[in-house]
Amino acid sequence: MAEVNLLARLPKTKRNIQKRAEAKDPAVIAMAKQYGEMYFDGPREYGYGGYKYDGRWIPVAEDIVKHFNLKPGDRVLDVGCAKGFLVKDMMKVCPGLEVFGLDVSLYALMRCEPEVVGRLHLGTAEKLPFPDKSFQCVLSLNTVHNFPRPRAIKVMQEIQRVSGGLAFVQVDSYHTPE
């Protein structure tokens, strides 16, 4: 299998992460961690500042499909799928691929794209509601770092449990250098 850098075409942030972390007050953090309207579509200091579909995940989907040699009929899970944009773009770049998502945000799931209605599930990454080895590949982009370390370990165990051995997990950063 050819080597593919799955991080190369991930959308890049334009924000100063350190400055942003220092500017957060506890009330803003508490509101953002509800992963509701303020986080997805409220002012930027709470989260995305408006999370709309724009096709930015298409190159990432192409790289994932190529790297994992995914084909129509294969099952893929996106843990922490938000509004399901990567799910949509993976289905677009590989017609027939069975892609599903899971997120804790009912707000996000209720505002998904029409193409992914019925493919997105409400739940937590700590207890994935799927049988062992349900998916050929499991993805999780910028989700695991939201959990304290013991819970993050459980999330990784769950990803391993439901995957058929193929997974890609990307973390923004963790709370401490350790």
Side-chain angles (χ1 to χ4, degrees), residues 39-79:
Y39 180 74
F40 287 100
D41 296 317
R44 184 73 172 118
E45 64 265 22
Y46 289 94
Y48 287 103
Y51 194 48
K52 309 279 187 253
Y53 180 78
D54 61 7
R56 76 178 65 191
W57 293 103
I58 291 173
V60 176
E62 290 169 344
D63 289 347
I64 290 168
V65 167
K66 180 179 178 184
H67 180 73
F68 290 114
N69 195 29
L70 298 172
K71 56 195 175 312
D74 285 347
R75 293 171 49 87
V76 178
L77 176 65
D78 180 7
V79 176

Side-chain angles (χ1 to χ4, degrees), residues 3-13 56-57 59-65 67-68 86 139-143 145 167-173:
E3 185 173 326
V4 174
N5 179 354
L6 295 178
L7 298 176
R9 299 202 295 172
L10 281 173
K12 305 290 188 267
T13 183
R56 76 178 65 191
W57 293 103
V60 176
E62 290 169 344
D63 289 347
I64 290 168
V65 167
H67 180 73
F68 290 114
L86 179 58
L139 312 168
S140 186
L141 306 179
N142 288 328
T143 298
H145 68 267
F168 178 72
V169 176
Q170 187 230 350
V171 293
D172 191 22
S173 64

Side-chain angles (χ1 to χ4, degrees), residues 16 24-25 27 77 89 94 107 156 158 163 166 178:
N16 179 325
K24 294 279 185 180
D25 79 30
L77 176 65
D89 287 347
C94 185
Y107 176 86
M156 294 301 293
E158 280 292 283
S163 78
L166 301 176
E178 296 82 30

